[in-house]
Every structure is written in structure tokens, then in C-alpha cells.
């Protein structure tokens, strides 16, 4: 080893006793240098004719192995500067990853999901480095990237204070300015364990010990900090321009209550300060729109200790819910659906036949009736199978579009419960379509149009994902391929853009998921279309074909709202409680200036009620200014004030949420205006 440079730059005359991980040549870790040298030597012996297919289907040819970063540079220097990671033949790879054969390569920037994750994973390491600089005795656990940010778990005697968080954030910004190169190296298992034992990092040692024997054990080093990590990471700390630590929480090591409670620091990061500022503004706006807060203020729903995860809908909430369901029934009738209802509790045999007992039992509530196992339904589909079987069906009957507003129950852990967004019982706007294979494309296209119309009605934009076969699934490869191709072909023939979400399908079939975007830019997964060939087989569903033979129908499961409760929560936050007139639980509030005009206020309210308008009257002995403020806080679309001048000329003084004070008007004109808004389901 005497020919290698030592760590201080001098020539090493004696054997370098440091681990391979700490030996460098020209600033590059020895293991990485050896790997690159081997690759180059191999290529010199056998020149490559390597074809790289980029995501726009452009093919670039190279005569030697290239790192993902070098491939990015060959496209443009600007792309290389913004590159965060790469996807090579469908797998996310580090920018340092060397491609040495024909491959499909995508360069991921912060605009791509894989790029965001690499960017924020790097930020979590900057956080850990800052903590170790300021609090050397703190032990490191894990620090992944998550949706909208990252976190890192630390073993610290006392939880981090807000003041400590500020100091850590300041230290992180120093590390960014230091422009520390981030270097990757690998170690054999025994040396990796020793490496972390010497650094007194017991959580890292445990993680290494739990890795499979043949696992590649990699580390990332930036300046004075090294962490066990599979990556990917950025090339330098300088890219992380904007950082914000947002909160501290407790978290059990590996999520088990039997383990020690650690201190988890959450944060987020962006390439530009303006992007971070926009995100923080959105978070503040989201707090104002929190459906739990507004649900209480507007008296829509409540969650009680007597039923955690089981929402109670109050009168105003029931008006909102029933209005949504009336709309659902209207559009489904127009689209050729029939409505059914199936029982909430059914026996074990049914759930075993459907596959739920095997694949979903942990999320189901069970009971025993007459010494027989029963389950409370987590889904409506098995009941729909039984309804289909009540009659003989011909190909002429198909497609059968069968809708159900079904109450389902699913066991959720208490820590996952969140207002109406994650509950243990909810109404699902299910529908099951039974059809011939030839009808697949047209039926999926029809469902897409229906869901598109629903989301446009509420002012949502959305994007679509095609979710493919998960590991825990049932059915043959051939069935899954046919079903997946059926969904893909329907999307492509309708010229609909989509992304593929590998392995996120239902256990019985692939699906199309609709991710809608609300008024402040957040996304929610609501609508779904699932193509299923398994349940018709398991339930032995049949129809008589044109030639008289018996055949299996193909089945679509689909929802528009998804969970009605969750959709209401999304609507509350999307509209900030200011529902369009057609949805508003109270559409008009009538306010008499004083008790003298209570009779006239009642006369006005009665006419509104007779016209089908939802109206309330505030007869409290309060000043009119106070009553107007109260009505505005209730987000009522229209406020009618009546006093002496209004009564004299048989008119009303109108205030609208949109235009403010509008002056005196004929009540008939107000009624016509509101009725038109309701009829057209206009958005404000």
C-alpha cells in the first residue's frame, strides 16, 4: 500500500492501518477509486457501444461507462446542476451510480418525486451533522425524506427546545455554505459494524446487524460527518438553499412502544427561498382551513371520547352530507346506475371467499353470532357479488351499473386517526359494474367522464396514477396483465396523461387513482377505478353469451367521492368553510334590526323557505352589527337585514359573501338569484 497517498496528502511509506472507508487518493475514497479504476480498465479492454434511452425516448450512445451525473452533463450543464438523482431501468439511483450497459435513464430534478426525496434526504443528513456538532453526545437513529419534508430521530436525554431548534437550523445553514462534497463508500459487514461501534452509535449498529447477509452496506460522508445510508444523495451540501425546521415530536425507536422514546425533528427544504416561503404560507393557510377547527365553528360534526374515530354529524353537517348524496344520486341516475344496499355484517365464509379474510383481516372488526364468525364490512363489494347472483344474466343485460352508499368500518390505529380524513367508519360511494370483456374500454371511459365532471363541479384540478400489482395479491399473472392493459388502454385512448405507481394496486386488481388538487395546492387521493377479474371467479359469477355458453363477467369497482366523510373534510378546507350556495347548510340568514321587525323577518323567512331555500332567522336581542359579524363568521352566502325602511317598501337589505353590502332589493329577485345559483350549482 506504500504507493497510496495518506490522508494528509503525504506519501505513505508504511501500511495504512485505517479502514478502507477512510483512505483517500486525490480526495476520492479508496473503495470508490478502486471501483472506478476497475470499470475504466474493463472498458479499455472492451470498448462499449452503450445506448442510453432518455425519458423523451431520445437515444444517446457512449463508448464507455458513465455515471448518472455524467449522462446529465452530456445533455446539458444546466440539467447537471439541477440533477438530484436518476432512474435507471426503473430503479432510483444515486448521481454517482455508474451505468455500464444499455439502459433507460431519467435524470431527476427537484421537480420529480425521486429528486425531491434525494434532496430532502440530503437535508436530513445536514440536520444530523448540525446536531452532532452542537450536541456530540446525542445518538443517531434514522432520518428519511417524507412527503413535503424530512425528519431525523435522535436519542437525547431531554427533548429539543424551540431555542435549540433555532440553533440547529442556523448550524445547518453554515454547513450548506461550507459546500461540503458528499462522498459514498461501502464497507464489508464486520468492518461496518466496527466503524459504527467506534463512533458509539448503537442504533446504527443494530440497523447493520439486521441487514441481510448479502446486503450492500453503504455510507455517505460530508466533511466531519458520516452516516449509514443507502442513498441517494446530492453531490454537495451547497445545493440545499432553503431550510426550515418545523416541529419536534416523540417517536418510539422502530415504531414499537416497547422501545425507547426518541426525539424526532421535522423539517422541510427547497432549492430556492421563494419556494420555501410559498410552502410556509400554504401551511399557515392550511391551519386556518383545518376542517376540525371549522367543523366545530360551523357546527358540522364532532368527535367524542365515547367513539374515537367514529364521527358524529350535527344538523348542519347532515344538510351538507345529504346535499352531496342527493347530487350523487342525480348524476348516477343520469349515467344509468341502479342503487342497492347491502348488510353491514356478513359471515366469515363470505369474507373468506372474497379474499378479505386472508388479505385484510387485520383491518376488520369481527364478532360471533350463534357460534359462527362474522365481520363488519370494510368494503361493499362482496355484498354486490351476492346481489348480482340473485338473477340469471344475459349478455344483453350487461353492463349492469350497481351503485351503493354503503357504511363500512375499518380498524385504524388510534395514532392514525385525523378528524374526518382518517376515521374508523365512513360511507363509501361505491359502484360495481359488471360487463363483458369487450365493454371494458367504454365503461372505464364512462367512469372517467363521470369522475371528471364531479371534480370540475367543485373546482378541483387533478392528476391520474395507474397503480399496478402489489406483492400481497391474488390471481394469475395473465389476469393481472389483461386487467392492467385494460386500464392503460382506456387512459391512452382517451388521451389522458398519467403516471405509473408500481405495486400500489388493490390485492384483487390494478387501479386508476385520481389525485385532486385543492385551492391551496395540496393533493388528495379520492376517486378510484379498479378492474377486477378475481372476485367474479371466486363468486362464480356468470352470464349467458350470444352463443348460449356461460361466461364470467369482468368487474369494475369505483368511487367518485371515496369516503363521503373524508370528501366533506376536503371540501371544508378547499372552500375554507365558505361553501357555494347550493352546498351551504344555511343559505340565507335573516336579521331583524330589532324585536319590532320580528314579524316581518318571519314573513321574509317563510317566503324563502317556501321557495326551497335553507334559511335561519336571528331573533336575539343583540345589536345588528354584532349579528352581522356572527353571520359572516358562519360563512353564510347571503345575509338579509330587515328594518323599518325595508318593511315600509316591502323590500329587504341584502349582503352577499361575494359582493358585500348590495342595498335594498325585492325579495322575489333575491329568491330568483339564489334559486339560479342552486340550479346551476355555481361556484362563488
Amino acid at each position: 500500500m506504500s504507493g497510496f497517498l495518506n490522508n494528509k496528502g503525504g506519501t505513505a511509506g508504511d501500511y495504512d492501518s485505517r479502514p478502507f472507508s477512510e483512505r483517500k487518493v486525490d480526495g476520492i475514497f479508496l473503495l470508490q477509486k478502486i471501483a472506478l479504476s476497475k470499470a475504466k480498465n474493463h472498458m479499455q479492454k472492451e470498448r462499449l457501444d452503450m445506448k442510453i434511452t432518455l425519458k423523451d425516448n431520445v437515444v444517446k450512445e457512449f463508448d464507455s461507462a458513465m455515471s448518472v451525473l455524467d449522462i446529465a452533463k452530456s445533455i446539458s450543464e444546466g440539467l447537471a446542476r439541477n440533477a438530484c438523482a436518476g432512474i435507471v431501468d426503473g430503479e432510483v439511483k444515486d448521481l454517482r451510480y455508474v451505468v455500464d450497459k444499455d439502459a433507460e435513464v431519467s435524470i431527476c430534478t427537484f421537480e420529480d418525486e425521486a429528486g425531491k426525496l434525494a434532496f430532502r434526504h440530503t437535508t436530513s443528513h445536514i440536520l444530523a451533522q448540525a446536531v452532532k456538532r452542537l450536541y456530540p453526545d446525542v445518538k443517531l437513529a434514522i432520518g428519511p425524506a417524507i412527503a413535503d419534508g424530512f425528519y431525523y430521530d435522535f436519542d437525547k436525554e431531554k427533548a429539543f427546545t424551540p431555542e435549540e431548534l433555532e440553533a440547529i437550523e442556523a448550524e445547518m445553514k453554515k454547513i450548506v455554505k461550507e459546500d461540503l462534497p458528499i462522498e459514498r463508500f461501502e464497507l464489508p459487514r464486520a468492518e461496518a459494524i466496527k466503524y459504527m461501534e467506534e463512533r458509539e452509535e448503537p442504533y446504527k449498529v443494530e440497523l447493520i446487524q439486521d441487514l441481510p447477509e448479502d446486503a450492500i452496506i453503504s455510507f455517505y460522508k460530508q466533511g466531519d460527518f458520516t452516516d449509514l445510508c443507502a442513498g441517494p444523495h446530492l453531490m454537495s451540501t451547497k445545493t440545499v438553499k432553503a431550510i426550515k425546521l418545523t416541529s419536534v415530536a416523540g417517536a418510539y425507536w422502530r415504531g414499537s412502544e416497547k422501545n425507547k422514546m426518541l426525539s424526532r425533528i421535522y423539517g422541510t427544504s427547497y432549492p430556492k427561498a421563494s419556494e420555501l416561503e410559498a410552502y410556509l404560507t400554504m401551511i399557515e393557510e392550511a391551519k386556518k382551513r383545518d376542517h376540525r377547527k371549522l367543523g366545530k365553528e360551523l357546527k358540522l360534526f364532532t368527535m367524542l371520547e365515547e367513539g374515537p374515530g367514529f364521527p358524529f354529524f350535527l344538523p348542519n353537517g347532515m344538510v351538507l352530507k345529504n346535499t352531496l348524496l342527493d347530487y350523487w344520486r342525480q348524476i348516477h341516475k343520469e349515467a344509468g346506475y341502479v342503487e342497492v344496499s347491502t348488510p353491514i355484517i356478513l359471515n366469515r365464509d363470505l369474507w373468506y371467499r372474497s379474499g378479505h379474510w386472508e388479505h385484510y383481516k387485520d383491518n376488520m372488526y369481527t364478532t360471533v353470532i350463534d357460534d359462527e364468525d362474522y365481520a363488519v364490512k370494510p368494503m361493499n363489494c362482496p355484498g354486490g357479488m351476492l346481489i348480482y347472483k340473485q338473477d340469471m344474466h344475459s349478455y344483453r343485460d350487461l353492463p349492469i351499473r350497481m351503485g351503493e352508499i354503503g357504511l363500512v368500518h375499518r380498524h385504524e390505529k388510534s395514532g392514525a386517526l385525523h378528524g374526518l380524513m382518517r376515521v374508523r367508519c365512513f360511507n363509501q360511494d361505491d359502484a360495481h359494474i359488471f360487463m363483458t370483456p369487450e365493454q371494458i374500454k367504454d365503461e372505464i371511459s364512462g367512469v372517467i367522464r363521470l369522475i371528471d365532471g364531479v371534480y370540475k363541479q367543485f373546482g378541483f384540478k387533478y392528476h391520474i396514477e395507474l397503480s399496478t400489482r402489489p406483492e400481497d395479491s391474488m390471481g394469475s399473472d395473465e389476469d393481472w396483465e389483461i386487467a392492467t392493459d385494460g386500464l392503460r388502454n382506456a387512459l391512452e385512448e382517451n388521451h389522458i396523461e398519467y403516471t405509473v405507481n408500481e405495486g400500489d394496486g388493490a390485492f384483487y386488481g390494478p387501479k386508476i387513482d385520481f389525485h385532486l388538487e385543492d385551492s391551496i395546492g395540496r393533493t388528495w387521493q379520492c376517486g378510484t377505478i379498479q378492474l377486477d377479474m378475481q372476485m367474479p371467479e371466486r363468486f362464480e359469477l356468470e352470464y349467458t353469451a350470444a352463443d348460449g355458453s356461460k361466461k364470467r363477467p369482468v368487474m369494475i369497482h369505483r368511487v367518485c367521492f371515496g369516503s363521503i366523510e373524508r370528501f366533506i373534510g376536503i371540501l371544508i378546507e378547499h372552500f375554507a368553510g365558505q361553501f357555494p350556495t347550493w352546498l351551504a347548510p344555511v343559505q340565507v340568514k335573516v336579521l331583524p334590526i330589532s324585536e319590532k321587525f320580528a314579524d316581518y323577518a318571519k314573513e321574509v323567512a317563510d317566503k324563502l323557505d317556501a321557495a326551497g331555500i335553507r334559511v335561519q332567522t336571528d331573533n336575539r336581542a343583540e345589536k345588528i352589527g354584532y349579528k352581522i359579524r356572527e353571520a359572516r363568521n358562519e360563512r353564510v352566502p347571503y345575509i338579509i337585514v330587515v328594518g323599518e325602511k325595508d318593511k315600509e317598501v316591502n323590500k329587504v337589505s341584502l349582503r352577499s359573501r361575494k359582493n358585500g353590502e348590495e342595498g335594498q332589493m325585492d325579495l322575489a329577485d333575491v329568491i330568483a338569484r339564489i334559486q339560479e345559483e342552486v340550479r346551476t350549482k355555481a361556484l362563488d
Side-chain angles (χ1 to χ4, degrees), residues 421 514-516 518 522-526 566 570 573:
M421 303 303 193
F514 292 75
H515 296 262
L516 57 84
D518 69 13
R522 298 169 301 176
T523 57
W524 309 88
Q525 196 274 305
C526 290
R566 184 166 179 264
I570 294 168
E573 298 194 2

Side-chain angles (χ1 to χ4, degrees), residues 247-370:
S247 63
V248 179
Y252 291 108
W253 168 236
R254 292 190 154 180
S256 172
E257 296 176 3
K258 297 177 182 178
N259 293 333
K260 187 170 184 179
M261 175 70 78
L262 305 177
S263 188
R264 175 174 293 178
I265 297 178
Y266 285 97
T268 192
S269 59
Y270 286 84
K272 298 177 182 177
S274 58
E275 294 173 325
L276 174 61
E277 186 177 345
Y279 171 77
L280 295 175
T281 300
M282 186 269 285
I283 292 299
E284 284 304 309
E285 183 63 25
K287 288 178 182 177
K288 297 175 189 174
R289 294 167 177 257
D290 191 318
H291 76 283
R292 295 167 298 177
K293 170 178 170 286
L294 290 176
K296 184 176 182 180
E297 289 178 10
L298 302 179
K299 299 179 180 178
L300 299 172
F301 70 93
T302 187
M303 310 298 290
L304 301 175
E305 292 180 2
E306 290 82 353
F310 300 94
F312 288 71
F313 273 84
L314 307 178
N316 281 351
M318 280 306 298
V319 172
L320 174 59
K321 187 175 183 179
N322 285 331
T323 303
L324 280 173
L325 295 182
D326 289 344
Y327 167 66
W328 185 93
R329 289 189 168 98
Q330 173 198 335
I331 60 174
H332 281 76
K333 183 178 179 181
E334 292 169 357
Y337 287 75
V338 294
E339 187 173 357
V340 299
S341 177
T342 61
I344 291 177
I345 300 177
L346 293 163
N347 70 16
R348 172 181 172 162
D349 289 345
L350 175 79
W351 302 110
Y352 184 80
R353 208 183 329 165
S354 69
H356 288 86
W357 201 267
E358 179 183 357
H359 296 274
Y360 206 75
K361 187 174 183 293
D362 291 344
N363 292 90
M364 296 166 65
Y365 295 111
T366 59
T367 187
V368 177
I369 302 173
D370 296 335

